[in-house]
Amino acid sequence: MTTAIRSVASRSRFSRHALSVSFGLLAGLSSLPARAADQITFVSQGGAYQKAQTVAILDPAARKLGITINQDSIPDAWPVIKSQVASGTPTWDVVDVPTSYCLRGGEQGLIEKLDVSKIPNAAAMPEAYRSPYSIAYEFYSSVLAYSLKKYSSGAAPNSWADFWDVKKFPGRRALRNHPLATLEAALMADGVASDQLYPLDVDRAFKKLEEIKPAITVWWTSGAQSAQLLNDGEVDMVMAWNGRVSALASEGAKVAYTYNQGVLQSTSLCILKNAPNRETAVQFLNEAVDPLLQANLPLHIDYGPANPKAFDAGVIKADRAVQLPSGPENTRKQALMSYAWWASPAGEAAEKRWVAFMQK
Amino acid sequence: MLALASPALLVILLLIVLPVGWLAWQSIYHDGFTLENYRRILSEDIYWRSFALTFEISLLVTTLALLIGYPLAYAANAAPRRWSIVILALVILPFWTSVLVRSYAWLALLQRTGVINQVLQYVGLVDEPLALVHNSFGTVVATVHILLPFMVLPLYAAMQKIPNDLMQAGASLGGGPAHTFWRIFLPLSLPGVLAGTTLVFVLSLGFYITPELLGGGRTIMVSLLVSRNVELYNQWGAASAVGVVLLAGVLAVFLIVSRFIPFDRILAPK
């Protein structure tokens, strides 16, 4: 009994000691701003994706800049961004998130405004790939995927009009339980050209969706679920993210997809408001979209570089470029999602309308 | 007396009153006092539909759990000790498995190419696989299974406390098994029934993962609306308001139940 009490007492003394040491360290660090600035905290979504970007982009960028990149990962960063900035002392610097988070966060004062003149690599990218708050970092695509057991590749659905055509292509279908890219697909199915989508005709899109609704077996909510539905034969065609389908195919599943009328989407990098290492973060942003480092990414995972110059760097071979969502040929076949429209009041209204549409 | 109870009261204050108060405060305060979040809930019919669906599914789940749970608890109580341990173990083992795992397990069982559909097709009962999942049906089946222990355990506890002598006395006075069950056993097990049904009903009102995974996107229960509200309105207030309304609903259920049976008997069946 007495030993137990003593050991508890000594443990608490020890932890108090440890605390004072770490506080001392913190104080020491903050008195050396030059050294403290030589690091950033980078946050992404974890898993195979974060591993790939660590090898392809983060490690080389850290070596080049002579900084330390601390990493954190979270499936959905939005609530944490909100609470970190609200607390006044965020610990994250750069986040890799769906572009809409950067725009929405920018409007709400959660994200720093960027000075593109300090980020020359981004300045050289197409204007549609950046916003005052964000720089596109990698591309993925919402594509039409299908089971090869049900449809042979010669007689497979090849457009959203085919997806909507339940007579010509009988079978079970799934769409994402989210309006992003789904409304775009509906409009393309209704005959709108892929470069004429914005501003979206929301009424027309929902009307077209009502048409296909009875044929939709599942409205999926996670990428893993969309792949599983197709793999298990629960559905025969689905709108899914290209990386999910290509991963299935490489595991030997009888599935395929087309980039035709795909919706090209991106995650972007942005910097938290009042982030501790803002200047280093800006330097990192420039490195992260460097054409050479960007060209490394598809060597490790099925996502496309956001900087189009990456395809001229001599790293990505032609047979690889045709597989990537942002490959020059595939970019032409697809629609580029306008995150600016989705962040606008009309876009937000469309998102709210989705819940009501699902319940009817 | 108050001095003795104060540590416990402090814990309750810290863990329950403060967070719930904070929840309620957020729902009415966002850059100033606002009732916008509640106005939305009252005026938009998607909320009504979700609340109605949630209560409907919870009632169904509770009824099914009682119909399955009562005989189970009765068997566990009446069987010889060795068998009663087996029955209870079968109820409790899944209870220790994560809700996520059990939901996925049901998905694997119920889907088009799942075991159940394959067996049905093999024996020729159906030609086409049945739509057993990605709808309310799948949601209800999995929820009943997941919440069953919350029905069985209070029932078993209540039944354990019914003295066997009473049944024997009933029998010695000429009551048949059915008669003694209806007149003696069932009324004495009612506190367990109330405890179990209340627990299961309240838990299923707030169920999230299972309807999300097995509902196919169409079974929009209130919990899903809470998460959708965070996404859509980008402020906790909108979601908090939905939570507060659900909490009010749950308290109303408790209040109604407590009119028939006092609270302490529901929570601690004797």
Side-chain angles (χ1 to χ4, degrees), chain A residues 192-240:
Chain A
V192 180
S194 59
D195 55 351
Q196 305 284 317
L197 287 169
Y198 299 97
L200 294 187
D201 185 341
V202 177
D203 288 332
R204 186 172 168 188
F206 275 108
K207 208 172 147 225
K208 191 71 182 168
L209 277 166
E210 292 286 358
E211 233 176 75
I212 195 70
K213 203 176 174 190
I216 302 293
T217 311
V218 187
W219 298 89
W220 57 267
T221 45
S222 75
Q225 192 191 357
S226 68
Q228 190 210 345
L229 289 168
L230 192 59
N231 193 29
D232 293 351
E234 191 69 12
V235 299
D236 306 310
M237 59 173 103
V238 57
M239 175 190 238

Side-chain angles (χ1 to χ4, degrees), chain A residues 15-175:
Chain A
S15 61
R16 215 175 298 141
H17 188 65
L19 268 181
S20 71
V21 169
S22 55
F23 275 134
L25 272 175
L26 277 177
L29 278 175
S30 55
S31 69
L32 293 168
R35 187 170 306 167
D38 287 339
Q39 58 168 334
I40 58 160
T41 302
F42 174 87
V43 182
S44 183
Q45 292 128 49
Y49 170 56
Q50 193 157 350
K51 264 184 219 150
Q53 59 172 317
T54 302
V55 181
I57 296 175
L58 302 178
D59 286 348
R63 274 197 300 277
K64 215 162 147 189
L65 294 170
I67 61 169
T68 308
I69 299 179
N70 309 306
Q71 294 193 43
D72 202 345
S73 61
I74 188 165
D76 185 7
W78 178 256
V80 185
I81 294 175
K82 245 180 111 76
S83 52
Q84 279 210 4
V85 177
S87 77
T89 49
T91 54
W92 290 354
D93 292 293
V94 179
V95 288
D96 169 14
V97 288
T99 305
S100 44
Y101 285 8
C102 298
L103 298 185
R104 191 197 275 173
E107 276 164 23
Q108 296 187 13
L110 304 173
I111 298 295
E112 288 280 341
K113 210 163 202 152
L114 298 175
D115 180 357
V116 201
S117 69
K118 288 185 182 154
I119 314 171
N121 281 330
M125 282 162 63
E127 219 170 305
Y129 290 10
R130 49 188 155 83
S131 81
Y133 303 100
S134 65
I135 297 161
Y137 179 56
E138 51 91 27
F139 276 111
Y140 60 100
S141 186
S142 292
V143 295
L144 168 50
Y146 49 88
S147 156
L148 282 169
K149 282 186 205 152
K150 178 87 178 180
Y151 313 103
S152 67
S153 55
N158 191 41
S159 68
W160 294 117
D162 289 351
F163 188 93
W164 256 253
D165 192 339
V166 293
K167 290 216 180 71
K168 200 169 151 203
F169 298 95
R172 297 153 62 88
R173 291 152 159 83
L175 282 173

Side-chain angles (χ1 to χ4, degrees), chain B residues 127-199:
Chain B
D127 299 329
E128 269 285 295
L130 299 174
L132 300 174
V133 79
H134 301 301
N135 47 28
S136 305
F137 178 82
T139 309
V140 169
V141 169
T143 310
V144 167
H145 173 246
I146 288 166
L147 293 181
L148 200 57
F150 294 96
M151 181 64 83
V152 174
L153 295 178
L155 275 173
Y156 178 74
M159 289 174 183
Q160 281 271 294
K161 284 173 189 134
I162 301 173
N164 218 4
D165 313 356
L166 289 182
M167 306 295 288
Q168 281 168 358
S172 74
L173 292 172
H179 190 74
T180 49
F181 175 80
W182 279 108
R183 296 293 300 274
I184 303 168
F185 194 85
L186 188 66
L188 284 172
S189 68
L190 275 186
V193 172
L194 261 164
T197 46
T198 315
L199 262 177

